[in-house]
Amino acid sequence: KAGVTQTPRYLIKTRGQQVTLSCSPISGHRSVSWYQQTPGQGLQFLFEYFSETQRNKGNFPGRFSGRQFSNSRSEMNVSTLELGDSALYLCASSFLGSYEQYFGPGTRLTVT
Amino acid sequence: AQKVTQAQTEISVVEKEDVTLDCVYETRDTTYYLFWYKQPPSGELVFLIRRNSFDEQNEISGRYSWNFQKSTSSFNFTITASQVVDSAVYFCALSEAPGGGNKLTFGTGTQLKVEL
């Protein structure tokens, strides 16, 4: 069974640009969550989607947004990138109600 | 608000030693889930265990064991006879389910180094 896949794996952007990251969950998983990991702030929850609806949101500015498609694939977008947005962005999927989340390999975003 | 504390930033052991990683949590909810994840150098978080707040039974899986004590709000993780492959960062996490959904609050992680 294929795991969670994230694309791209690495990305370099310039301050002020925007970026879109993609996540394909494990087959059958309809809940997708996003996390940001930085050396300073650690692992922080961004948002969770289920059935194309945002169920939960963390404490991030509105520049961070996401969506989920009917096939459960999810994208997150960061607009007007700042240097502090440099991080590993992790996506996780699960069956609704199982609370066991399985993570993808992450997208390493570098903002210069 | 919920909080997870992993006071041990880094632990170094020699192969075959036993090692315990500590985790203390705070939550106002009576229903919650606790987790341990492993993050090897590749970066992917690997799910190890989930424990709900109503199940205080300790669990053993091979060389891994977990001790959940609600009285001290702790969920400690022990690796018996450690191996070099166990070297990774280990994260303890809390989910205030079901209301909190899949939102995980992570501790700061413990870097485990197992040397020959």
Side-chain angles (χ1 to χ4, degrees):
Chain A
K1 196 173 188 181
V4 177
T5 58
Q6 292 186 245
T7 56
R9 293 292 311 280
Y10 302 91
L11 205 50
I12 300 175
K13 289 287 189 178
T14 303
R15 195 168 39 181
Q17 288 185 317
Q18 74 164 16
V19 66
T20 298
L21 312 182
S22 180
C23 171
S24 293
I26 292 171
S27 178
H29 286 188
R30 296 172 62 195
S31 172
V32 174
S33 299
W34 289 88
Y35 293 82
Q36 181 196 64
Q37 185 176 24
T38 61
Q41 298 299 316
L43 278 156
Q44 293 185 288
F45 172 79
L46 280 157
F47 27 65
E48 178 194 2
Y49 286 87
F50 175 76
S51 287
E52 303 176 63
T53 301
Q54 189 178 87
R55 291 183 73 217
N56 245 319
K57 189 178 189 308
N59 296 323
F60 279 82
R63 300 185 298 106
F64 292 81
S65 63
R67 60 177 176 167
Q68 186 181 36
F69 302 95
S70 58
N71 61 359
S72 296
R73 190 176 70 85
S74 177
E75 289 181 347
M76 67 163 282
N77 183 277
V78 187
S79 62
T80 319
L81 284 166
E82 300 177 358
L83 295 179
D85 297 333
S86 295
L88 180 65
Y89 289 89
L90 292 161
C91 168
S93 74
S94 73
F95 290 112
L96 186 68
S98 81
Y99 307 110
E100 287 181 18
Q101 294 183 67
Y102 294 87
F103 283 79
T107 294
R108 173 78 62 184
L109 172 64
T110 301
V111 181
T112 62
Chain B
Q2 64 271 32
K3 184 179 178 182
V4 177
T5 301
Q6 294 180 256
Q8 304 152 308
T9 305
E10 185 172 319
I11 300 176
S12 290
V13 299
V14 176
E15 201 175 40
K16 297 183 184 176
E17 283 186 14
D18 298 346
V19 58
T20 296
L21 310 182
D22 298 332
C23 173
V24 174
Y25 63 92
E26 295 176 29
T27 177
R28 296 179 191 169
D29 278 15
T30 55
T31 303
Y32 52 89
Y33 287 87
L34 295 163
F35 304 81
W36 275 96
Y37 282 88
K38 173 182 180 180
Q39 188 175 42
S42 60
E44 184 170 338
L45 282 168
V46 178
F47 170 83
L48 295 177
I49 189 172
R50 179 198 76 180
R51 181 49 50 107
N52 75 52
S53 53
F54 298 107
D55 182 3
E56 288 192 71
Q57 277 192 336
N58 292 331
E59 181 156 341
I60 298 174
S61 176
R63 297 185 296 107
Y64 295 170
S65 63
W66 291 269
N67 181 265
F68 176 30
Q69 292 193 338
K70 285 180 77 170
S71 60
T72 56
S73 296
S74 65
F75 186 44
N76 297 337
F77 172 31
T78 297
I79 302 175
T80 302
S82 60
Q83 299 176 1
V84 172
V85 293
D86 296 326
S87 297
V89 181
Y90 291 85
F91 291 95
C92 180
L94 167 71
S95 168
E96 291 181 332
N102 276 325
K103 176 182 177 180
L104 289 174
T105 298
F106 284 90
T108 51
T110 297
Q111 170 86 58
L112 174 64
K113 294 184 178 179
V114 183
E115 299 165 334
L116 292 170

